[in-house]
Amino acid sequence: MRPRRSLPLITAVTALLLSGCAAQAGPDPAASTPASAAPVSTCVADPETVIARTEALPTSAMPAVLAATIDAAAQAGFAAAAAPGAIVAVQSPDGLFLQAYGIADPTTGAAMTTDLYQRVGSITKPFTVTLLAQLAAEGELSLDDPISEYIDGVEGGDAITLRELADMTSGIASYTLDEAWQARFFDEPLTQWTPDELIRVGTSLPAKGFAPGTAFDYSNTNTVLLGRVIEKVTGRSYGDALTNGILKPLGMDHSVFPVDAAFPSPHARGYTLQGGRATPDAPEETTDWNPSWAWSAGGLISSASDLLTFGRAEATGAGLLPAAAQLDRLTSFREFNGAGAGGYGLGWGCQNGWVGHAGELPGYNSSMFYDTAHDVTVITMTNSDIPSGDCEAPTLTDNPTGIVCSSPATRIFTSIAAALGTPFAPQR
């Protein structure tokens, strides 16, 4: 999830749809042109086996050889990434790897540590859709309900279902594409936004021009609408619903949903080139920017250890959803950007058997993916959203060339995924 004010606005240059890098104006991740929405349910080869994984994984240290392999891959990715610091967490049947790299605060030289809180951006989306799936499993709603049953004023809302909002096939434009909204966001980054303000901006934009359910187009408006549905059905605030439905049951005590710009300590300082004020040799600090503009589409604050817990639970359904509902999620992926390229489903993406999401707010980039074939969860976090490599988006002065453009957390994740033997190829 990233608003980006650059020239030209809203022009797709590179969109890494699962990775969270959008080297373009608009949201993160982004698709400015709808792609195919054909089923690719086989992205997860054996969903029943995934659902059967109910036992906890060990928290003991990984064997030294495996830990060294992951560390070398993480360091290689970090060396080419445009970020002061990074956190890497990997958990598998072999144990736990948890390591920090680089600097959390360039003004003091304080080192990155593994216990830091992080604004995780669009990783919030899987949480929101999990809450929605829980309500459906409890019979409180149906994913086939039209959004008009819950929210007034959505053009064509009688024909747009909650499922189509969750899998990004509604055709409703993202509010982050609105130029006036972008201008205000970057000029006044401390603004406190309400969900209804965001919905009004998004639903006032022209629809994407395809019948709901027939094409993919990533929109933050979709997930904000779902957050309001959750509030209406539960009678709770989104934050309370999140705490009661996911955070407490999973023991995620280092995750919070802020109502304003509050940021628990300890946390790293974040840096961006977005917004028009930063330069390649002087990124802008965003630590205190208000994340209310992202709400249920991207406002969550979490930690590497907590995301390890959720990343596996989201994939297996353990502690979150009954088996039938989880099977629906694991087979919900729709193809985008060409046959076999990967897909997006009910609040998450899939590529080569990896399921999960990436997230970005200006200054912070995170990645959360689970290898369904090998029961491995990988979390990467950086205190920068600045891409590196052969990008058309702004990069740092010392930007490396001759490598593919990537956001920093994604670059580290793809390096680790390759070293573990299950490559991940971000969509372009």
Side-chain angles (χ1 to χ4, degrees):
M1 139 144 348
R2 69 190 295 180
R4 179 183 299 281
R5 188 163 66 189
S6 59
L7 295 176
L9 278 168
I10 321 305
T11 299
V13 178
T14 302
L16 307 188
L17 286 136
L18 287 180
S19 72
C21 174
Q24 62 171 62
D28 159 18
S32 65
T33 303
S36 166
V40 287
S41 60
T42 55
C43 187
V44 178
D46 189 355
E48 288 83 3
T49 294
V50 176
I51 294 168
R53 293 170 183 157
T54 58
E55 294 186 6
L57 291 177
T59 57
S60 54
M62 284 184 171
V65 172
L66 178 57
T69 297
I70 294 171
D71 179 59
Q75 292 206 50
F78 180 54
I87 301 170
V88 171
V90 182
Q91 191 172 26
S92 77
D94 292 310
L96 175 66
F97 176 93
L98 184 60
Q99 182 68 45
Y101 304 87
I103 303 299
D105 185 348
T107 66
T108 65
M112 206 78 163
T113 57
T114 59
D115 62 341
L116 297 182
Y117 288 90
Q118 171 107 337
R119 300 194 191 279
V120 300
S122 285
I123 288 177
T124 309
K125 289 180 172 69
F127 285 81
T128 299
V129 177
T130 297
L131 291 174
L132 188 77
Q134 288 176 341
L135 292 173
E138 294 162 2
E140 297 296 324
L141 56 77
S142 167
L143 297 183
D144 296 322
D145 289 341
I147 185 60
S148 60
E149 186 172 325
Y150 304 94
I151 307 291
D152 295 328
V154 178
E155 184 176 356
D158 290 343
I160 298 171
T161 67
L162 304 184
R163 180 181 295 273
E164 289 158 351
L165 294 167
D167 69 10
M168 300 295 176
T169 63
S170 73
I172 297 173
S174 181
Y175 56 88
T176 52
L177 297 176
D178 182 73
E179 294 186 31
W181 183 89
Q182 287 189 34
R184 184 179 173 194
F185 172 80
F186 285 115
D187 290 342
E188 304 171 19
L190 306 185
T191 298
Q192 180 73 27
W193 297 86
T194 70
D196 289 343
E197 286 177 317
L198 304 174
I199 290 170
R200 281 195 295 271
V201 173
T203 56
S204 69
L205 294 171
K208 289 297 182 172
F210 57 83
T214 65
F216 172 89
D217 192 87
Y218 191 96
S219 171
N220 294 306
T221 310
N222 288 339
T223 322
V224 173
L225 282 164
L226 293 179
R228 290 289 285 125
V229 170
I230 290 164
E231 289 191 326
K232 292 198 172 190
V233 172
T234 64
R236 302 174 183 265
S237 70
Y238 174 84
D240 284 348
L242 178 66
T243 298
N244 285 277
I246 298 176
L247 304 185
K248 281 186 177 180
L250 294 183
M252 296 175 63
D253 55 6
H254 278 72
S255 298
V256 296
F257 189 77
V259 297
D260 50 28
F263 200 164
S265 293
H267 58 259
R269 293 178 180 265
Y271 296 89
T272 191
L273 290 179
Q274 296 191 58
R277 291 182 294 269
T279 63
D281 58 353
E284 182 170 7
E285 185 185 341
T286 64
T287 310
D288 297 323
W289 285 18
N290 193 325
S292 61
W293 68 272
W295 201 55
S296 59
L300 182 68
I301 293 170
S302 192
S303 67
S305 294
D306 269 13
L307 290 187
L308 277 179
T309 298
F310 179 74
R312 185 172 188 256
E314 178 203 25
T316 64
L320 293 176
L321 289 170
Q326 188 61 21
L327 183 62
D328 185 28
R329 291 197 78 182
L330 286 168
T331 57
S332 66
F333 304 105
R334 294 169 180 247
E335 178 183 300
F336 55 67
N337 204 29
Y344 198 89
L346 291 173
W348 58 349
C350 185
Q351 205 278 329
N352 195 27
W354 290 99
V355 295
H357 218 289
E360 188 175 307
L361 295 181
Y364 299 95
N365 184 214
S366 303
S367 177
M368 177 191 72
F369 283 93
Y370 175 83
D371 179 357
T372 54
H374 303 99
D375 200 10
V376 179
T377 311
V378 179
I379 309 299
T380 57
M381 295 176 157
T382 59
N383 55 337
S384 160
D385 67 325
I386 301 169
S388 62
D390 295 330
C391 308
E392 294 187 46
T395 56
L396 296 179
T397 301
D398 59 352
N399 176 59
T401 58
I403 58 175
V404 67
C405 180
S406 178
S407 58
T410 296
R411 187 175 297 287
I412 298 169
F413 166 56
T414 54
S415 180
I416 293 170
L420 292 175
T422 308
F424 179 94
Q427 301 307 304
R428 297 181 176 82

